[in-house]
């Protein structure tokens, strides 16, 4: 019954709680400096409390990757994962959690083993779901970044994605929305490739595929700053982190309202969302039943 459009709704997007990065960044050792994450625990707890207070409730809460800082095989990883799970357990049981894999979750160059380990802990590394007539796709962007150690897994995701997009067309969905960790681009579709976006030829191919499929928006994290831009009607939305900030933004979450004809979103600091909730303009959009 989620194939049917029943009027506007909203969800919450967060990214990069990344337990351990704040200390690692502060001491200038991003390989081994992640032995404390008390600050991130507090921020994640604040995020959960802010979401639980919202009325009406969001349809789901999606975390766009880098759940923890410890790379596969590093010392503090298991403890970071356990502490994050303990915080997230307190999310209102009526608000489903959606997890997206990031480079710290499965490695910059993932392997079958690191992906299997992630899947055991957090669920599938790519999947799709429907909410109220809208089709959502969760992708493993590391397979686009560097699949050299598991090319067959990248190929499997590519085949699956083409099938999913064909399926979406059949069902005449209201919108298609994508979640992934690494942005396709930060500001312009033709910008140079660096650590924070996808390689140009890969990016162009994905953008064309998404554009042809009528995808409205791609939401990502990874940059620890807010950014974004457009490609032929498709919006690339880059959200800053719940955890460590690498720019001028505040620790925060994005509220995303899905209406009949558009997807509207606003980034809130955790303090704003905790104390004031969602602003009237967005609530008014939700109140308009079609």
């Amino acid at each position: 019954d989620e194939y049917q459009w029943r009027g506007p709704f909203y969800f919450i997007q967060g990214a990069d709680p990344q337990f351990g990065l704040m200390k690692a960044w502060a001491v200038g050792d991003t390989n081994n400096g992640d032995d404390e994450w008390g600050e991130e625990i507090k921020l994640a707890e604040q995020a959960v409390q802010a979401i639980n207070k919202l009325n009406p409730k969001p349809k789901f809460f999606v975390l766009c990757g880098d759940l923890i800082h410890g790379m596969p095989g590093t010392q503090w990883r298991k403890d970071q994962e356990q502490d994050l799970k303990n915080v997230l357990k307190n999310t209102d049981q009526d608000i489903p959690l959606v997890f997206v894999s990031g480079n710290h979750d499965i490695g910059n160059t993932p392997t079958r083993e690191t992906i299997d380990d992630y899947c055991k802990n957090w669920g599938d590394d790519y999947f799709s779901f429907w909410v109220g007539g809208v089709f959502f796709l969760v992708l493993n962007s590391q397979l686009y970044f560097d699949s050299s150690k598991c090319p067959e897994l990248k190929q499997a995701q590519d085949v699956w994605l083409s099938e999913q997009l064909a399926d979406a067309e059949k069902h005449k969905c209201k919108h298609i929305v994508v979640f992934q960790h690494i942005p396709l681009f930060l500001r312009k579709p033709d910008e140079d490739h660096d650590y924070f976006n996808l390689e140009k030829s890969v990016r162009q191919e994905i953008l064309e595929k998404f554009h042809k499929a009528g995808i409205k928006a791609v939401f990502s994290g990874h940059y620890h700053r807010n950014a974004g831009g457009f490609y032929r009607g498709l919006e690339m939305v880059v959200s800053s982190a719940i955890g460590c900030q690498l720019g001028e933004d505040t620790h925060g979450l994005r509220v995303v309202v899905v209406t009949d004809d558009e997807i509207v979103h606003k980034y809130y600091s955790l303090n704003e969302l905790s104390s004031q909730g969602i602003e009237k303009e967005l609530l008014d959009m939700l109140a308009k039943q079609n």
Side-chain angles (χ1 to χ4, degrees):
D1 58 338
E2 290 295 339
Y3 287 146
Q4 302 309 312
W5 174 255
R6 294 194 205 82
F9 64 87
Y10 81 104
F11 63 86
I12 301 289
Q13 183 221 2
D16 303 271
Q18 206 158 342
F19 282 22
L21 176 59
M22 287 172 91
K23 162 89 187 290
W25 193 257
V27 300
D29 180 359
T30 52
N31 294 326
N32 307 299
D34 62 332
D35 59 347
E36 287 174 25
W37 50 91
E39 196 60 36
E40 285 98 333
I41 289 176
K42 280 196 208 117
L43 290 162
E45 284 173 343
Q46 192 184 356
V48 167
Q49 285 157 10
I51 291 167
N52 287 348
K53 278 203 313 207
L54 294 172
N55 183 25
K57 289 188 201 309
K59 287 286 187 183
F60 59 87
F61 171 28
V62 57
L63 272 171
C64 281
D66 281 2
L67 307 173
I68 48 140
H69 183 66
M71 287 276 190
T74 56
Q75 186 177 359
W76 303 107
R77 183 179 169 89
K78 285 277 169 267
D79 293 340
Q80 290 167 2
E81 286 180 335
Q82 194 49 57
D83 283 353
L84 179 58
K85 286 179 182 179
N86 289 342
V87 173
L88 292 174
K89 262 192 227 144
N90 296 316
T91 310
D92 185 311
Q93 60 186 30
D94 294 330
I95 304 170
L97 292 164
V98 177
F99 299 111
V100 182
S101 63
N103 55 306
H104 282 263
D105 305 311
I106 58 176
N108 286 321
T109 306
T111 65
R112 186 176 279 281
E113 290 69 39
T114 64
I115 292 174
D116 281 350
D117 183 61
Y118 170 86
C119 293
K120 278 193 201 90
N121 262 301
W122 302 101
D124 291 342
D125 60 322
Y126 58 89
F127 56 96
S128 65
F129 60 98
W130 287 81
V131 174
V134 178
F135 190 48
F136 292 95
L137 290 157
V138 171
L139 299 179
N140 178 346
S141 56
Q142 285 316 116
L143 296 174
Y144 296 126
F145 191 80
D146 182 0
S147 63
S148 56
K149 289 189 174 160
C150 54
E152 74 289 355
L153 297 184
K154 178 188 183 290
Q155 195 186 352
Q157 177 173 258
D158 288 345
V159 169
W160 172 87
L161 179 58
S162 296
E163 287 166 356
Q164 294 290 308
L165 294 174
D167 200 35
E169 195 181 8
K170 245 192 350 242
H171 282 289
K172 298 284 176 269
C173 54
K174 187 61 81 174
H175 306 291
I176 309 174
V177 175
V178 171
F179 300 119
Q180 59 186 58
H181 178 62
I182 300 181
L184 296 165
F185 59 90
L186 297 172
R187 290 189 174 83
K188 295 192 179 121
D190 59 352
E191 70 197 14
D192 289 340
H193 166 58
D194 67 20
Y195 175 78
F196 288 112
N197 60 20
L198 289 178
E199 201 267 317
K200 264 175 145 174
S201 62
V202 174
R203 178 197 315 165
Q204 194 51 45
E205 192 183 324
I206 298 169
L207 281 168
E208 258 319 290
K209 184 178 224 170
F210 285 4
H211 167 68
K212 281 203 184 96
I215 289 170
K216 268 280 171 62
V218 177
F219 289 88
S220 70
H222 189 53
Y223 191 44
H224 295 255
R225 285 152 282 205
N226 287 309
F230 286 87
Y231 173 81
R232 301 173 71 184
L234 177 154
E235 186 175 10
M236 180 69 242
V237 185
V238 185
S239 293
S240 197
I242 292 170
C244 189
Q245 300 300 312
L246 301 183
E248 300 302 305
D249 294 296
T250 47
H251 310 282
L253 294 165
R254 193 172 293 277
V255 173
V256 187
V257 176
V258 183
T259 74
D260 194 20
D261 50 6
E262 59 181 344
I263 292 167
V264 183
H265 52 85
K266 182 178 184 229
Y267 186 83
Y268 287 84
S269 75
L270 294 180
N271 290 341
E272 266 181 301
L273 201 59
S274 303
S275 58
Q276 292 154 32
I278 304 173
E279 64 188 37
K280 186 174 179 319
E281 199 181 334
L282 293 180
L283 288 170
D284 286 348
M285 295 179 96
L286 287 170
K288 285 187 186 129
Q289 286 301 324
N290 300 326

